[in-house]
Amino acid sequence: MQDPPSEVGCALDEIDTPALILDLDAFDRNVAKMASYAAFAGVGLRAHAKTHKSSAVARRQIAAGAVGQCVQKVGEAEALVSGGIRDVLVSNQVVAATKLDRLAALASQAQIGLCFDDPEQVIAASRAASRAGVVINGLVEIDVGMARCGVPPGRAGADLAKRIADAPGLRFEGLQAYHGRAQHLPAAPEREAAIRGAIRAVQQTQEALAAAGLSASTVSGAGTGTFRIEAESGVYTELQAGSYAFMDLEYAGISGPDGTPFAEFEHSLFVLSAVISVAGAGWCVVDAGLKSFSGEKGPPRVHGREGYEFLGMSDEHGKIAMLDTADPPRLGDKVMLIPGHCDPTINLHDWYVGVRSGVVHELWRIDARGASR
Amino acid sequence: MQDPPSEVGCALDEIDTPALILDLDAFDRNVAKMASYAAFAGVGLRAHAKTHKSSAVARRQIAAGAVGQCVQKVGEAEALVSGGIRDVLVSNQVVAATKLDRLAALASQAQIGLCFDDPEQVIAASRAASRAGVVINGLVEIDVGMARCGVPPGRAGADLAKRIADAPGLRFEGLQAYHGRAQHLPAAPEREAAIRGAIRAVQQTQEALAAAGLSASTVSGAGTGTFRIEAESGVYTELQAGSYAFMDLEYAGISGPDGTPFAEFEHSLFVLSAVISVAGAGWCVVDAGLKSFSGEKGPPRVHGREGYEFLGMSDEHGKIAMLDTADPPRLGDKVMLIPGHCDPTINLHDWYVGVRSGVVHELWRIDARGASR
């Protein structure tokens, strides 16, 4: 793990670069907005820690009203439980016995949920929970249109729920019904249509559950791009949004309901870089590249400097063009960049540098960085 | 930092997933081939540690004949020197005084080089070296066609060399003349044309240096896609290749001189993943996604399983389609994946799991992971 790039009390300009910057005022507003929206809609906010990878962020989301966290990996759950989080759902399938034993060990300290889409996973998790003498809450993942994990809605979901309900060490809790592909569909009506389909898939599965004498006390899903639709469906009980706390260019690129840019949340996450070369004719080079932000959703965008356009990046270089009208860059100038995709960008860094009014107020460890197992 | 995903002596199938796997036989052959080629051509091999991020790999490259290492960041240099490497070139510009002080501190333990493309950088580095009472070797970076960092070839290079030669604490050593953009040009004749241009740029600068009473004892550059051309130019003295030790899909996608696929080196680097879901009709899902390989050069490729095609990935999921003729996957099956781009993929992991004949032989820490400052 790298040392923090700054100390508390430093000015923004004194932070070593590249550094992952969190604008704490914007972050607080995003966290409060989603929490109060969930309270208003009468659903739980189970914020997704795959995005933030940090028990420090999780604690703030929970302090603001979140009911718990979800994760994709057992290693993320371990980091959160170790950081004091007491309600974690693994919104994913886990197969390996060694991983299930690690997860079962957490269930003696925290409420732990796990998703299933195959009877074999149920048998393996039941064994691990029984060995550890704990109970794991089981959710049936149904494929609500994402075509990734999940059983088909309806009867198949009820059949698997029955196996969970009957398995020692497991308790059937409900349905995982996340539609990831819907989150970034560019137009709001497309997102709405996709989630309407997800809602029907949940309802169809609930009917099959009722016929089998079961019911889902939890229906978990939704993300930053669609959370209002799930929340107001009367069917979902939990929201799994993660990016809302930070925003990124991918979410900034979708449209809101009236066709204007999606503006539910503010950009709170940046990479601070520094100009290391001004030798080029019409461009400068900063010290942040593919090892400071993930590039699969395109390059970052320059924030707060008129006439600067990010052109491209290599491992440790970012190339930025300047319009003729732009202030010329000087060596050492700091440049704030908005990442294309927040989740894998955060996973590159070891620290959030939390800034308020241009001064470093907090240093939060990204304690689940790299926790992919 | 995460714990290693395996212990020495485990079988490949027992390694926890996802894990970064190094096929040690293929790695050894790649390392030996480049080292013996450099020896044959009479140039030094200064392998690039931005790719491997590990003093363990650096030590093996040097044991095989490499003259030293190059890096992009002071943090990488610190990890290497701490791991026993005694000759490190920062093939990049460094501006911040705090970073230059850290670099100067290393120069009391190792031979340290640094690149320049601006007189301001020379002044700052000279101050840091003088403060620390050390000498840093200075290379003038010339823009040989990459349009990133570097002064124009010719007179501008000689002018900056003169400033380095005159600066206390700095010694003018030579030229940095790396053409990064050339490395992945698809056709060998395109790469050759680009490097011919780079060679002319070096020669033009050498003439200007001679006119100023200076000479470049080192001309450093070249990468895995073009190293033979620079090595046989009679102008370059050092090769900065890095990917050669591992290969990746990006290099596998270029052509060799006869138009057939580039086959100088073998794939030695893989991500081992495990099947976590087989609920889909015609696809399965593995537990490795954007946090196990960088996606900006496209998805990984399935290795060693006929009829399996990697379709796409999200943060922690990889979706793989199976042809009707393929063996159906079972939950827990291990799937080896070849990354699209080795450098940023390695930077996501904390350990290389070195495997020989299907058994874990070595665990190497990726001690410069995240060392971007």
Side-chain angles (χ1 to χ4, degrees):
Chain A
M1 196 185 65
Q2 302 295 311
D3 291 334
S6 173
E7 291 174 12
V8 169
C10 286
L12 187 65
D13 216 50
E14 297 172 302
I15 299 168
D16 198 10
T17 58
L20 190 68
I21 304 293
L22 194 54
D23 175 334
L24 291 172
D25 291 336
F27 169 82
D28 287 347
R29 286 190 293 267
N30 290 341
V31 166
K33 181 174 181 179
M34 184 63 96
S36 61
Y37 178 76
F40 155 77
V43 295
L45 170 59
R46 179 175 293 284
H48 216 309
K50 83 179 167 91
T51 305
H52 62 68
K53 289 272 191 182
S54 169
S55 54
V57 171
R59 287 191 296 272
R60 276 150 187 91
Q61 290 171 323
I62 288 170
V67 298
Q69 295 276 305
C70 47
V71 299
Q72 299 294 48
K73 296 297 183 86
V74 175
E76 295 171 327
E78 288 171 329
L80 291 186
V81 172
S82 168
I85 307 303
R86 291 293 166 257
D87 187 341
V88 180
L89 167 65
V90 181
S91 56
N92 198 356
Q93 282 64 37
V94 178
V95 171
T98 51
K99 288 180 161 73
L100 288 165
D101 284 340
R102 286 161 50 208
L103 190 65
L106 297 179
S108 63
Q109 304 166 65
Q111 180 150 301
I112 296 292
L114 176 61
C115 294
F116 298 93
D117 69 2
D118 193 292
E120 265 191 54
Q121 299 153 357
V122 175
I123 294 167
S126 170
R127 282 187 187 139
S130 299
R131 274 194 295 271
V134 297
V135 172
I136 291 175
N137 297 318
L139 280 76
V140 171
E141 178 160 359
I142 54 174
D143 181 357
V144 295
M146 181 162 48
R148 193 173 68 183
C149 299
V151 297
R155 176 75 180 274
D159 287 349
L160 193 58
K162 184 80 173 59
R163 287 173 187 263
I164 297 170
D166 291 345
L170 303 183
R171 188 181 77 81
F172 172 65
E173 182 179 334
L175 301 176
Q176 167 74 8
Y178 174 65
H179 195 323
R181 205 170 47 73
Q183 301 309 313
H184 294 101
L185 292 174
E190 296 176 89
R191 298 200 297 282
E192 169 123 15
I195 300 305
R196 293 282 161 230
I199 293 166
R200 282 191 298 276
V202 171
Q203 288 168 327
Q204 189 186 343
T205 311
Q206 283 172 322
E207 287 160 19
L209 286 172
L214 293 165
S215 76
S217 56
T218 296
V219 177
S220 205
T224 297
T226 67
F227 67 96
R228 285 176 185 261
I229 314 168
E230 286 95 335
E232 295 174 18
S233 67
V235 160
Y236 282 79
T237 67
E238 282 186 357
L239 308 180
Q240 296 185 346
S243 304
Y244 77 96
F246 307 112
M247 279 292 287
D248 59 22
L249 296 184
E250 197 182 12
Y251 271 117
I254 67 174
S255 300
D258 55 357
T260 59
F262 179 80
E264 291 272 16
F265 303 100
E266 302 172 49
H267 289 294
S268 70
L269 190 80
F270 305 88
V271 170
L272 186 71
S273 67
V275 174
I276 57 167
S277 173
V278 294
W283 74 84
C284 67
V285 178
V286 295
D287 61 354
L290 289 168
K291 291 171 186 162
S292 296
F293 14 64
S294 73
E296 86 287 349
K297 296 292 165 60
R301 184 196 295 157
V302 177
H303 175 74
R305 278 197 172 237
E306 283 297 314
Y308 280 57
E309 188 193 354
F310 201 96
L311 293 179
M313 51 190 164
S314 36
D315 281 348
E316 295 283 10
H317 296 82
K319 183 172 168 182
I320 297 175
M322 292 86 68
L323 294 183
D324 290 343
T325 53
D327 287 340
R330 290 160 310 174
L331 287 177
D333 275 4
K334 300 291 170 75
V335 179
M336 292 272 269
L337 300 162
I338 303 174
H341 188 187
C342 58
D343 310 56
T345 294
I346 292 167
N347 187 51
L348 294 166
H349 297 266
D350 290 306
W351 296 92
Y352 291 101
V353 180
V355 171
R356 258 188 236 284
S357 310
V359 175
V360 177
H361 269 245
E362 307 262 1
L363 294 165
W364 297 342
R365 232 193 100 196
I366 303 176
D367 44 2
R369 192 222 71 75
S372 286
R373 292 195 296 273
Chain B
M1 196 185 65
Q2 301 296 311
D3 291 334
S6 174
E7 291 174 13
V8 169
C10 285
L12 186 65
D13 215 49
E14 296 172 304
I15 300 168
D16 198 10
T17 57
L20 190 68
I21 304 293
L22 194 55
D23 175 335
L24 291 171
D25 292 335
F27 169 82
D28 286 347
R29 286 191 292 268
N30 290 341
V31 166
K33 181 173 181 179
M34 183 64 94
S36 60
Y37 177 76
F40 156 78
V43 295
L45 171 58
R46 179 175 291 286
H48 217 307
K50 83 180 168 91
T51 306
H52 62 68
K53 289 272 190 182
S54 168
S55 54
V57 171
R59 288 192 296 271
R60 277 152 187 90
Q61 290 171 325
I62 287 169
V67 299
Q69 296 276 303
C70 48
V71 299
Q72 299 293 49
K73 295 299 181 85
V74 175
E76 294 171 328
E78 288 171 328
L80 292 186
V81 172
S82 168
I85 307 304
R86 290 291 165 258
D87 188 339
V88 180
L89 167 65
V90 181
S91 55
N92 199 357
Q93 284 63 37
V94 178
V95 171
T98 51
K99 288 180 161 74
L100 289 165
D101 284 340
R102 287 162 47 209
L103 189 66
L106 298 179
S108 63
Q109 305 166 64
Q111 180 150 301
I112 297 292
L114 177 61
C115 295
F116 297 92
D117 70 0
D118 192 291
E120 265 192 54
Q121 299 153 356
V122 175
I123 294 167
S126 169
R127 283 188 186 140
S130 300
R131 273 194 295 270
V134 296
V135 172
I136 292 174
N137 297 319
L139 280 78
V140 171
E141 178 159 359
I142 54 175
D143 181 357
V144 294
M146 182 163 47
R148 194 173 66 183
C149 298
V151 298
R155 175 78 180 274
D159 287 350
L160 193 59
K162 184 80 172 61
R163 288 175 186 262
I164 296 169
D166 291 345
L170 302 184
R171 188 182 76 82
F172 172 65
E173 182 179 334
L175 302 177
Q176 167 74 6
Y178 174 64
H179 196 324
R181 206 170 45 75
Q183 301 307 315
H184 294 100
L185 292 174
E190 295 176 89
R191 298 200 297 281
E192 170 123 16
I195 300 303
R196 293 281 160 232
I199 292 167
R200 282 192 298 277
V202 170
Q203 289 167 328
Q204 189 185 343
T205 311
Q206 283 172 321
E207 287 160 19
L209 286 171
L214 293 166
S215 77
S217 56
T218 296
V219 177
S220 206
T224 297
T226 67
F227 67 96
R228 286 176 185 262
I229 313 168
E230 285 95 334
E232 294 174 20
S233 67
V235 160
Y236 281 80
T237 68
E238 282 185 356
L239 308 180
Q240 297 184 346
S243 304
Y244 77 95
F246 307 112
M247 280 290 288
D248 59 22
L249 297 184
E250 197 181 13
Y251 271 117
I254 68 173
S255 300
D258 55 358
T260 59
F262 179 81
E264 290 272 16
F265 303 101
E266 302 172 49
H267 289 294
S268 70
L269 190 81
F270 305 88
V271 170
L272 185 70
S273 66
V275 174
I276 56 167
S277 172
V278 294
W283 74 85
C284 67
V285 178
V286 296
D287 61 354
L290 289 168
K291 291 172 186 161
S292 296
F293 15 63
S294 74
E296 85 287 348
K297 295 291 163 62
R301 184 196 294 157
V302 176
H303 175 75
R305 277 197 172 235
E306 283 297 314
Y308 279 58
E309 188 195 351
F310 200 98
L311 293 179
M313 52 191 161
S314 37
D315 280 347
E316 296 282 11
H317 296 82
K319 183 172 167 181
I320 296 175
M322 294 86 67
L323 294 182
D324 290 344
T325 54
D327 288 339
R330 289 161 310 176
L331 287 177
D333 274 4
K334 299 291 169 76
V335 179
M336 292 272 268
L337 300 163
I338 304 175
H341 188 188
C342 59
D343 310 56
T345 293
I346 292 166
N347 187 51
L348 294 167
H349 297 266
D350 290 305
W351 296 91
Y352 290 103
V353 179
V355 171
R356 260 190 234 283
S357 309
V359 175
V360 177
H361 270 244
E362 308 262 2
L363 293 166
W364 296 342
R365 233 192 100 197
I366 303 176
D367 45 0
R369 191 221 73 75
S372 287
R373 292 196 294 273

